[in-house]
């Protein structure tokens, strides 16, 4: 029988704030129970409806700095005046979760660059808004930011899009269902990559019948 390879696909999902990354990540996780979300640490306060330990680990600045000193982070960065980081332990947690096939990192461009340098096997997708006007509309429409924060995030968007070449895939979030299916196809295809499935082919060769004399 084919057994599950031990490695979990590491998948970065990044976007300028407001392009729809959180919405798309939620859909992926709802419809694909074999995917797990990497829960980051952050020093920003929780938004209405966000749950500590599920959306983020909400920590103080002192706590965050202690984790940096202890080298507990795979990557960390300052984003929109708060600190965000991915604990190294998130990968171990995914590898220990039965049935987990991929770990989704919702992180910014700085974090994507840092993880890529450490884990070249990582796959990275960047969500683009259909237009800058629509991006601004979505940022305001979400209703979670102050006017100052909307302007800050919108100003940062252009600088983030400049780094698009860091990513393997660019997904335009125009229509949500269409963008979702494109993203889903990428995750499914990446799971079937030869380098990730080679272990299965090798197992068949180890356990199957030996080749006959005519092939020797
Ligand atoms: P991000 O996580 O990238 O900051 P969100 O997922 O919070 O962005 O989306 C920003 C806002 O845009 C939310 O109000 C969300 O409901 C809305 N939104 C997301 N995708 C679409 C879409 N394809 N069409 C219209 N609105 C969208
Ligand atoms: P938000 O405050 O809207 O939840 O997130 C702001 C930005 O921080 C988003 O671009 C999000 O992807 C990014 N972010 C969230 N967690 C991490 C993380 O662990 N590391 C990095 N580098 N960025 C993160």
């Amino acid at each position: 029988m084919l057994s599950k390879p031990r490695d979990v696909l590491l998948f970065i999902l990044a976007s300028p704030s407001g392009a729809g990354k959180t919405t798309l990540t939620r859909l992926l996780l709802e419809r694909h129970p074999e995917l797990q979300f990497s829960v980051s640490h952050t020093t920003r306060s929780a938004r209405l409806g966000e749950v500590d330990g599920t959306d983020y680990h909400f920590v103080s600045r002192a706590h965050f700095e202690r984790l940096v000193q202890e080298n507990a982070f795979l990557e960390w960065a300052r984003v929109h005046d708060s600190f965000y980081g991915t604990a190294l332990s998130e990968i171990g947690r995914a590898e220990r979760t039965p049935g987990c096939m991929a770990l989704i990192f919702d992180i910014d461009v700085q974090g994507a660059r840092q993880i890529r340098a450490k884990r070249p096997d990582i796959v990275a997708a960047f969500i683009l808004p259909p237009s800058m006007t629509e991006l601004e509309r979505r940022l305001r429409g979400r209703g979670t930011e102050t006017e100052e924060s909307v302007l800050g995030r919108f100003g940062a968007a252009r600088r983030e899009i400049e780094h698009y070449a860091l990513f393997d895939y660019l997904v335009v979030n125009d229509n949500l269902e269409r963008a979702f299916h494109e993203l889903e196809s990428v995750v499914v295809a990446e799971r079937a990559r030869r380098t990730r499935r080679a272990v299965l082919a090798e197992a068949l060769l180890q356990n199957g019948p030996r080749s006959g004399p005519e092939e020797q």
Side-chain angles (χ1 to χ4, degrees):
M1 207 183 83
L2 298 182
S3 61
K4 171 184 170 297
R6 270 196 42 73
D7 71 311
V8 168
L9 167 65
L10 304 182
F11 193 88
I12 295 176
L13 207 47
S15 78
S17 185
K21 179 185 42 177
T22 307
T23 310
L24 284 163
T25 307
R26 279 208 187 116
L27 278 182
L28 266 180
L29 295 168
E30 266 168 37
R31 299 182 190 177
H32 287 274
E34 77 281 14
L35 307 184
Q36 188 165 305
F37 181 62
S38 166
V39 183
S40 294
H41 285 70
T42 183
T43 59
R44 83 152 163 76
S45 24
R47 292 184 189 131
L48 199 67
E50 282 183 331
V51 178
D52 187 30
T54 301
D55 296 290
Y56 281 106
H57 298 290
F58 295 100
V59 295
S60 65
R61 177 84 184 260
H63 186 151
F64 192 94
E65 280 169 4
R66 199 163 60 245
L67 293 173
V68 171
Q69 293 304 318
E70 290 169 358
N71 289 320
F73 288 126
L74 179 60
E75 63 74 34
W76 65 272
R78 184 179 190 143
V79 191
H80 311 310
D81 289 333
S82 297
F83 288 88
Y84 295 80
T86 306
L88 269 165
S89 55
E90 283 301 296
I91 296 181
R93 187 171 71 89
E95 284 172 346
R96 284 191 306 275
T97 304
C100 174
M101 293 291 184
L103 181 62
I104 310 288
F105 299 92
D106 170 344
I107 60 175
D108 86 323
V109 167
Q110 307 171 73
R113 183 179 290 112
Q114 291 176 52
I115 301 193
R116 183 129 253 185
K118 290 181 184 161
R119 293 290 303 250
D121 57 323
I122 205 155
V123 179
F126 195 52
I127 313 293
L128 291 172
S131 68
M132 295 309 274
T133 314
E134 174 64 9
L135 180 70
E136 190 173 4
R137 197 193 66 75
R138 285 184 195 170
L139 267 175
R140 280 186 214 289
R142 189 167 67 186
T144 53
E145 313 301 322
T146 60
E147 180 60 18
E148 191 189 356
S149 171
V150 166
L151 293 177
R153 282 167 186 255
F154 185 65
R158 196 189 158 79
R159 296 193 292 279
E160 286 165 28
I161 296 172
E162 280 171 1
H163 297 285
Y164 74 88
L166 197 67
F167 296 86
D168 303 299
Y169 297 93
L170 301 178
V171 174
V172 178
N173 181 18
D174 39 17
N175 173 282
L176 188 60
E177 278 301 317
R178 197 209 58 77
F180 169 76
H181 285 300
E182 198 165 291
L183 198 56
E184 180 183 50
S185 309
V186 169
V187 175
V188 170
E190 283 292 339
R191 281 293 311 158
R193 212 173 244 289
R194 171 175 49 77
T195 45
R196 286 194 190 87
R197 294 266 162 93
V199 62
L200 299 180
E202 290 297 331
L204 290 172
L205 292 172
Q206 290 297 317
N207 301 328
R210 299 277 161 221
S211 50
E214 72 280 3
E215 291 176 53
Q216 289 173 348

